[in-house]
Amino acid sequence: MGTHTDAHIVWDWNGTLFHDVDAVIGATNAAFAELGLAPITLERYRELYCVPVPRFYERLMGRLPSRAEWEVMDAVFHRHYTEHRVRCGLADGVEDLLTGWVAAGRSQSILSMYGHEELVPLVEDFGISSHFVRVDGRTGPSGGSKAEHMVRHLDALRGTVDPRRTVDPRRTVDPRRTVVIGDAADDALAALHVGAHAVLWTGGSHGRAGLEAVGVPVVDSLSEAVAEAERLAVSG
């Protein structure tokens, strides 16, 4: 890695750092069963998944779920996801990638649409929280876009001092040198919303075709994602 220490990565959690696709599919099918929908395969999920999540259900049902249906499906999904996630772990090579990025003098953070109160202890349990200057999960209702959360995340980063660095990040966390790494089109749209770069990888919730339609780099491994993030951050 080079010496451009003002580069910053905003990592997605679910489907990116945290390899939870099996738990997601299991919980999704449990939610579908509540409305009598047939189970979905991973391939079909990646083909249809979108944000806001009710639109995903619309693609399957032929109509938007009612408010009552959505509340039931959302509650069932999160209950089953919590049960299944204990069997999931970090994506391959994550620890080395996080360590290497910090060793190069750069900063990184997490922004997830997973609930904040659940996210923070989960990251701590994996022993990787020290690699991040900030960890933010979703506050408020689930199912929406990441864009406004990204605005708040970057605003908060400008006021975060990283004890591992002698440079105040308020001067260095610049959207032009910030790269969002995630597994969903919404990650890229959130990055573009704040003027940052994005790299999407194919190991999570979207298939390659859906990711490529956004118009940002798409890769097949997180190591490739970090290499591409370095290139984009350096180029500004």
Side-chain angles (χ1 to χ4, degrees), residues 194-218:
V194 297
H197 303 279
V199 179
L200 301 177
W201 90 297
T202 59
S205 61
H206 278 45
R208 175 174 281 276
L211 297 177
E212 289 179 338
V214 186
V216 302
V218 176

Side-chain angles (χ1 to χ4, degrees), residues 20 44 95 105 118 134-135 149 177 181 189 194-195 214 221:
D20 62 346
R44 184 68 171 160
E95 293 97 330
E118 293 81 20
R134 190 173 184 87
V135 176
H149 293 269
R177 298 195 183 279
I181 298 179
L189 295 176
V194 297
V214 186
S221 71

Side-chain angles (χ1 to χ4, degrees), residues 13 52 55 72 80 90 103 145 206 231:
W13 178 250
R55 294 288 183 185
V72 168
H80 282 268
L90 298 176
S145 170
H206 278 45
R231 183 188 70 79

Side-chain angles (χ1 to χ4, degrees), residues 154-170:
L154 289 191
D155 285 346
L157 282 172
R158 295 187 183 101
T160 300
V161 176
D162 183 351
R164 300 185 302 276
R165 306 179 66 193
T166 58
V167 179
D168 187 339
R170 283 174 287 189

